Amino acid sequence: YTSYPPASVNPMAARVAHDGTVLDPAGIDLAAGSGFGANRVPRVAWDGTNWVAGWTDNLGARLARVTPDGTLLDPGGESLPWLGVDELAESPGGGVRMVWTSELAGGELPDDIYSTYVSPGLEADEEAPISLGAPSHTHVDIALAGEDGMLVFRSDVSGDRHVLAQDVAGYLGAGSGEPVLLASGTGVSDPAVAWNGSLYLAVWSDDDAEAIYGTRLLQDGTVLDDPAILVMSGLEPDVSAVGTDFLVVGTDEVGSFATRKPFGARVRGSDGVVLDAPPILLGQSYARGPEVAGMSTRWLVTWGRYPSYDDPAATVQAAFVDADGSTPGEFGIATSSAFTDEHLSPAIGANLGIALIVWEETRLTHGEDWNLYGRRVLVDGTVFDDPGGFQITELPADERNAAVGWNGSTFQLAFEVSEQLGWFDHSATDVYGTRVDQYGEVLSPLGFPIEIGEGPDVMPAVGSGVDHATVASSVFVSEAPYAAYRIGARAFDDGTTGVPDTPDDPVVSAIHLAGAFPNPTPGPTRVRFILPETTRVSLRVYDVAGRVVRELVDSVTPAGEHDVRWDGRDNSGEAVANGMYLYRMEAGGYQGTGKLVVLR
């Protein structure tokens, strides 16, 4: 068992006689006083002569022998780095056999299972696989080219990583079929892809070398650059095109891991030449997760910036890069601390003239109830919307890890949704979508399902076309022979994806006050709410002193999504003064309140 005194976690043991007498009431300290927070999950087996106790720490497994009389033969345990102790069992002829799941060797879900024999003297043989998971496909990105497109994704197979590319038609069974291998290695990750009108540029990082590579591909998947192009030093790449050139962005260490800065480098589409060496510095330190979108004449890059590497607070920054590689410098997108200091995981989508930058944050309860917010940016640098952003989602679940695209008429957003079930537990993640027009109006405020199932569906990406969009994500497939993440892709145009709502859907199965838009407002605004069944609804606007300003609804209201307009006037018809107001809804035992700012 483990013992949790202050500031340490100690693996302990105690012998128990056949009559139930505890022979070591004070316990045997297996760590011999050196226990600390990483000691976990102790196991025990009899090896024919002694008991063998095993536990794990930050380095791997530790084993210690205890004699029948309670003597600890190996104080602190014998270290077996990189191995695990999920189970211990007696081995015929003496010694024990260890079995464990391997997070390092397997894909993201599930892990592989390994085993090894350990002699009576605690010497371990070479570990061997018992069961290896199917290839796990994650980190998908998608670029559309006319009616077709290209998927790039990471495939993990028991410790080996591969970056693969496949045309969308082939992935859906109507094209070339087999994917194209772009890179392999233990550190390859984060693939991204863009189309410049005549060919693709796929990029990825090699975490071991801390370098970003790329290769151009024709529409049929033919690789034009072998070996791959070394674009620049760094990690976390993304790519987009303006004209025939591409801009690759990433973050790179400058002095130390804690001081990563955002950089970019243009790659000429015609011959793959890197045009910016050294790369373009886009902003200051502590950058994470850059994304880039091409507009008519320039690129817009966004990223998160943390005050230090271990501080959860973050702002969302952005910078333009002109076609000639010049940049006017970074500017803030989400920097206000009026509601929260945590503005995380920015994503961007754009058309020729306007971009939408989306991020996630919690405004009501610290670290809980994550929702999406956004601001719009014109190609000339004008930033629209309140500095706190306009609210895109406000659902009774967490909405995180958004992706954004443009389908020719609206911004298409895909994001992960999970419902918090307890302090640590969440429901299996699903992928949902919503739409926002270029004026900042949220067209599907309650969202709609894209990928839902018993297993987790994660990491969405949106590909933008001239008049359509496609969403791809990692979908957990539990049926044999998979039991792993696979890539799922769907058309994503008019707010429907062919996936029905389900009665158990946490997003739509409860009464919910979905927010007001616009907010702040010059006067008129709309308050949205959802009812799973017909019920009596009271919806009122109050001033900060608690006085009723306007009664909006007081009636039996049918099930469904409702959108109630408030014209910014009180019950007597007079325009209300600038300031903060509250709107409150009561229905069927539900009570919900939101804040609204009138600013003329």
Side-chain angles (χ1 to χ4, degrees):
Y1 63 95
T2 51
S3 176
Y4 292 83
S8 66
V9 178
N10 295 319
M12 305 289 290
R15 295 168 300 140
V16 181
H18 289 287
D19 64 3
T21 302
V22 179
L23 302 178
D24 305 294
I28 302 169
D29 184 358
L30 300 174
S34 63
F36 59 98
N39 293 310
R40 298 178 291 265
V41 195
R43 297 287 186 264
V44 65
W46 174 256
D47 74 353
T49 303
N50 298 305
W51 284 290
V52 178
W55 65 95
T56 59
D57 61 16
N58 284 337
L59 297 179
R62 284 188 177 272
L63 298 183
R65 295 165 296 173
V66 178
T67 65
D69 65 3
T71 301
L72 178 63
L73 299 180
D74 309 286
E78 182 74 20
S79 178
L80 301 176
W82 308 114
L83 307 185
V85 195
D86 288 348
E87 291 294 344
L88 274 176
E90 180 181 355
S91 182
V96 294
R97 179 157 292 278
M98 297 196 310
V99 181
W100 69 95
T101 57
S102 173
E103 295 180 357
L104 295 176
E108 295 215 0
L109 183 70
D111 296 327
D112 295 335
I113 301 175
Y114 277 76
S115 175
T116 191
Y117 168 74
V118 180
S119 72
L122 302 187
E123 295 179 350
D125 285 353
E126 185 175 352
E127 64 268 27
I130 293 176
S131 178
L132 300 180
S136 177
H137 294 168
T138 57
H139 298 80
V140 66
D141 194 26
I142 182 171
L144 298 187
E147 296 302 315
D148 202 358
M150 187 69 69
L151 291 163
V152 293
F153 53 93
R154 196 179 96 187
S155 176
D156 289 7
V157 187
S158 300
D160 294 324
R161 294 181 183 178
H162 311 277
V163 173
L164 303 177
Q166 186 165 18
D167 64 288
V168 173
Y171 197 84
L172 299 177
S176 60
E178 292 299 317
V180 178
L181 178 64
L182 302 182
S184 295
T186 58
V188 297
S189 190
D190 295 327
V193 64
W195 168 256
N196 74 349
S198 59
L199 51 80
Y200 299 99
L201 178 64
V203 298
W204 62 91
S205 65
D206 187 325
D207 296 353
D208 296 335
E210 187 146 327
I212 296 173
Y213 295 90
T215 185
R216 295 169 301 141
L217 299 96
L218 297 180
Q219 196 163 3
D220 63 3
T222 301
V223 175
L224 298 181
D225 303 295
D226 188 12
I229 305 163
L230 174 58
V231 179
M232 61 182 179
S233 176
L235 300 174
E236 304 179 287
D238 194 25
V239 60
S240 186
V242 168
T244 59
D245 292 341
F246 299 92
L247 179 67
V248 180
V249 298
T251 63
D252 195 15
E253 289 186 19
V254 181
S256 71
F257 176 80
T259 56
R260 301 191 71 87
K261 293 184 177 182
F263 289 89
R266 294 169 300 145
V267 176
R268 195 159 58 204
S270 59
D271 55 12
V273 170
V274 178
L275 300 175
D276 301 296
I280 308 160
L281 177 63
L282 302 176
Q284 299 305 308
S285 300
Y286 310 115
R288 293 292 187 275
E291 291 202 7
V292 58
M295 304 179 77
S296 58
T297 59
R298 61 200 318 206
W299 292 275
L300 180 59
V301 187
T302 187
W303 64 91
R305 187 168 73 195
Y306 296 75
S308 64
Y309 76 97
D310 58 355
D311 193 326
T315 62
V316 176
Q317 306 294 125
F320 281 103
V321 177
D322 293 323
D324 63 2
S326 60
T327 176
E330 70 175 313
F331 56 95
I333 294 294
T335 60
S336 172
S337 59
F339 299 103
T340 179
D341 291 325
E342 296 179 312
H343 313 85
L344 307 182
S345 304
I348 186 172
N351 57 31
L352 295 178
I354 191 167
L356 175 63
I357 296 177
V358 176
W359 67 91
E360 62 195 45
E361 64 178 66
T362 59
R363 292 196 175 186
L364 300 178
T365 304
H366 178 72
E368 298 180 23
D369 190 20
W370 292 89
N371 296 301
L372 301 179
Y373 296 82
R375 294 189 76 183
R376 296 165 297 145
V377 183
L378 288 182
V379 69
D380 67 3
T382 303
V383 182
F384 287 129
D385 308 309
D386 181 85
F390 65 90
Q391 194 159 10
I392 297 174
T393 64
E394 186 189 0
L395 309 175
D398 286 342
E399 301 89 52
R400 309 197 70 174
N401 296 328
V404 188
W406 173 262
N407 74 346
S409 59
T410 60
F411 292 104
Q412 309 288 100
L413 280 70
F415 49 91
E416 296 176 4
V417 172
S418 63
E419 184 178 19
Q420 187 163 352
L421 305 177
W423 185 259
F424 294 106
D425 299 327
H426 280 70
S427 63
T429 304
D430 294 316
V431 174
Y432 273 70
T434 190
R435 300 174 300 142
V436 179
D437 69 18
Q438 61 183 343
Y439 304 104
E441 177 75 14
V442 181
L443 303 179
S444 305
L446 298 178
F448 47 84
I450 295 175
E451 295 288 354
I452 56 176
E454 294 182 359
D457 308 311
V458 297
M459 301 183 191
V462 178
S464 302
V466 175
D467 57 1
H468 63 289
T470 298
V471 60
S473 59
S474 293
V475 179
F476 187 76
V477 179
S478 59
E479 294 82 4
Y482 301 109
Y485 281 116
R486 316 299 285 181
I487 303 301
R490 297 179 182 273
F492 187 24
D493 292 319
D494 59 356
T496 61
T497 57
V499 181
D501 291 331
T502 66
D504 295 328
D505 178 4
V507 174
V508 299
S509 62
I511 298 173
H512 181 60
L513 182 60
F517 183 87
N519 186 10
T521 174
T525 189
R526 309 190 78 88
V527 179
R528 300 184 176 100
F529 61 90
I530 184 172
L531 301 175
E533 59 186 11
T534 299
T535 189
R536 187 170 191 86
V537 174
S538 170
L539 178 61
R540 294 182 174 91
V541 178
Y542 296 82
D543 62 21
V544 292
R547 295 183 292 263
V548 175
V549 172
R550 182 72 175 270
E551 185 176 88
L552 300 178
V553 179
D554 186 17
S555 63
V556 175
T557 306
E561 181 180 337
H562 298 272
D563 188 324
V564 179
R565 184 177 186 274
W566 178 44
D567 58 8
R569 298 179 180 275
D570 59 23
N571 282 328
S572 64
E574 297 295 325
V576 300
N578 287 349
M580 176 77 75
Y581 294 85
L582 304 175
Y583 55 94
R584 180 176 179 82
M585 173 182 164
E586 298 179 2
Y590 170 90
Q591 295 181 349
T593 302
K595 295 179 181 179
L596 178 64
V597 175
V598 174
L599 187 61
R600 293 183 173 88

